[in-house]
Amino acid sequence: MARDLFIIRDAAVADLSDIAQMAEIYAHHVRHGTASFELEPPSPAALADRLYKCCEAGLPVLVIISPKKHIAGYAYLSAFHHRAAFNHTVEDSIYIDHNLTGQGLGKMLLTALIERARDAGKRQIMAVIGDSDNQASIGLHRAMGFVPIGIARDIGFKFGRFLDVVYMQRDLR
């Protein structure tokens, strides 16, 4: 499918349809991947609560809509840390329907997140990437100007193995 047929919009966090589709996308990544270190997918209500907190903080929660009018992926910015000194730094999260990866949808969403972070007056975006083998996410972030700043080795355990976390950072100034 051509990328120009996809539309990015704000997620309707209170809309059961949006949340159900987003929860389904995330559940697949939790059950089958290492991008998230969660072991069990959250309920749609729990996911809605998480995303609502982002919206309350003035941070974007975005969805990308396919030509077939379903959610093909979603992305959001959240607080990097809860202490006030970190208020100018956010963390990005991006999840794409596993049937639609590799089509540039993550890049479209990350581009929109970067613009929205700048508009909100943020200075830094952090990428906290689960699993140092996650070359798709690392490559996406590198292509979008993020630089690697470190790897925390063997700090998560999922699917019978210890996993790294890769930290990348993008300066928005």
Side-chain angles (χ1 to χ4, degrees), residues 119-137:
D119 291 347
K122 303 303 178 185
R123 292 175 60 105
Q124 303 288 334
I125 299 181
M126 299 295 295
V128 181
I129 301 169
D131 193 0
S132 57
D133 289 338
N134 189 346
Q135 292 304 308
S137 185

Side-chain angles (χ1 to χ4, degrees), residues 88-134:
H88 298 283
T89 301
V90 291
E91 178 181 335
D92 74 89
S93 296
I94 304 165
Y95 295 97
I96 304 298
D97 180 319
H98 70 280
N99 294 307
L100 298 171
T101 59
Q103 297 186 37
L105 305 181
K107 184 175 184 178
M108 291 172 66
L109 284 165
L110 186 51
T111 298
L113 286 180
I114 290 168
E115 290 172 13
R116 297 284 289 273
R118 275 197 185 112
D119 291 347
K122 303 303 178 185
R123 292 175 60 105
Q124 303 288 334
I125 299 181
M126 299 295 295
V128 181
I129 301 169
D131 193 0
S132 57
D133 289 338
N134 189 346

Side-chain angles (χ1 to χ4, degrees), residues 53-97:
K53 288 176 183 169
C54 297
C55 294
E56 272 188 325
L59 299 172
V61 178
L62 306 174
V63 292
I64 189 162
I65 306 299
S66 78
K68 295 180 181 178
K69 306 294 185 221
H70 76 275
I71 293 176
Y74 70 98
Y76 60 96
L77 294 176
S78 57
F80 174 67
H81 199 284
H82 68 276
R83 292 195 174 105
F86 293 98
N87 283 348
H88 298 283
T89 301
V90 291
E91 178 181 335
D92 74 89
S93 296
I94 304 165
Y95 295 97
I96 304 298
D97 180 319

Side-chain angles (χ1 to χ4, degrees), residues 15-16 19 33 40 49 66 76 79 81 83 91 117 147 152 158 160 172:
D15 182 326
L16 185 57
I19 290 299
E40 295 295 327
D49 185 54
S66 78
Y76 60 96
H81 199 284
R83 292 195 174 105
E91 178 181 335
V147 294
K158 188 172 180 180
L172 296 171

